Amino acid sequence: MTSCPVCATPAPPERITNQPWCCSLACYYTFHHIDPPTSPWCHDPVTMTCPICQHPFTPAGRQKFCSQACRAAAYRRRRDTQPATVVVPKAQPRRPITVYECDSCGARALGQQHCDTCATFMRRVGIGGTCPCCDEPIALAELIGEEITARH
């Protein structure tokens, strides 16, 4: 039975060969005169830099920030950089801004589809309003000479 040539730790009983055996990597490096690697092992504590304050710290577990204050600051930065919520205005009915004209008598009305004089339904002329001069219903298409459509 062999033992570690550096610290004399006995070899495990299932080991049957007489070749040199080292109990750890540290003993292996010492026995073979090898300098240990400079990069840390995956489970050794590693010094990280805090992404908020740039101070080095040793993380515990999956810790990413050096303190609760830096963690809160990172949260506020993420929260404040998100785009603002877009508020879509409520859809408005088009009837109140639509000009209607009676085919029988030629009367016009704004937002009213039924002719009071003829007691019939009027046809739609287009989107419009009342004329500022004479206070009569007028369609925008008549003012600018193009067809106007409302977008939903």
Side-chain angles (χ1 to χ4, degrees):
M1 185 163 141
T2 61
S3 61
C4 178
V6 178
C7 66
T9 301
E14 61 271 2
R15 184 166 170 82
I16 54 174
T17 183
N18 287 334
Q19 293 192 358
W21 172 82
C22 296
C23 64
S24 66
L25 280 175
C27 289
Y28 179 85
Y29 292 143
T30 304
F31 179 72
H32 291 286
H33 306 292
I34 300 173
D35 291 332
T38 56
S39 64
W41 296 95
C42 63
H43 298 292
D44 289 344
V46 177
T47 302
M48 290 178 56
T49 303
C50 179
I52 300 299
C53 66
Q54 306 304 319
H55 284 59
F57 73 99
T58 303
R62 296 187 297 173
Q63 182 180 357
K64 294 180 183 178
F65 305 100
C66 66
S67 66
Q68 288 294 325
C70 287
R71 184 171 162 255
Y75 167 75
R76 285 191 301 273
R77 285 184 187 176
R78 285 192 313 269
R79 180 195 63 198
D80 295 342
T81 58
Q82 292 178 355
T85 305
V86 176
V87 179
V88 177
K90 184 179 173 184
Q92 297 178 353
R94 286 187 282 170
R95 183 178 292 174
I97 59 169
T98 302
V99 177
Y100 296 95
E101 184 176 30
C102 179
D103 288 332
S104 302
C105 66
R108 284 192 170 196
L110 180 64
Q112 183 180 352
Q113 288 181 299
H114 196 266
C115 180
D116 292 333
T117 310
C118 303
T120 60
F121 284 101
M122 298 190 272
R123 68 175 171 83
R124 183 177 67 87
V125 177
I127 295 172
T130 56
C131 178
C133 300
C134 61
D135 205 33
E136 288 291 319
I138 187 165
L140 290 176
E142 295 170 336
L143 290 175
I144 61 173
E146 296 179 12
E147 181 64 29
I148 305 296
T149 58
R151 294 183 187 178
H152 293 292

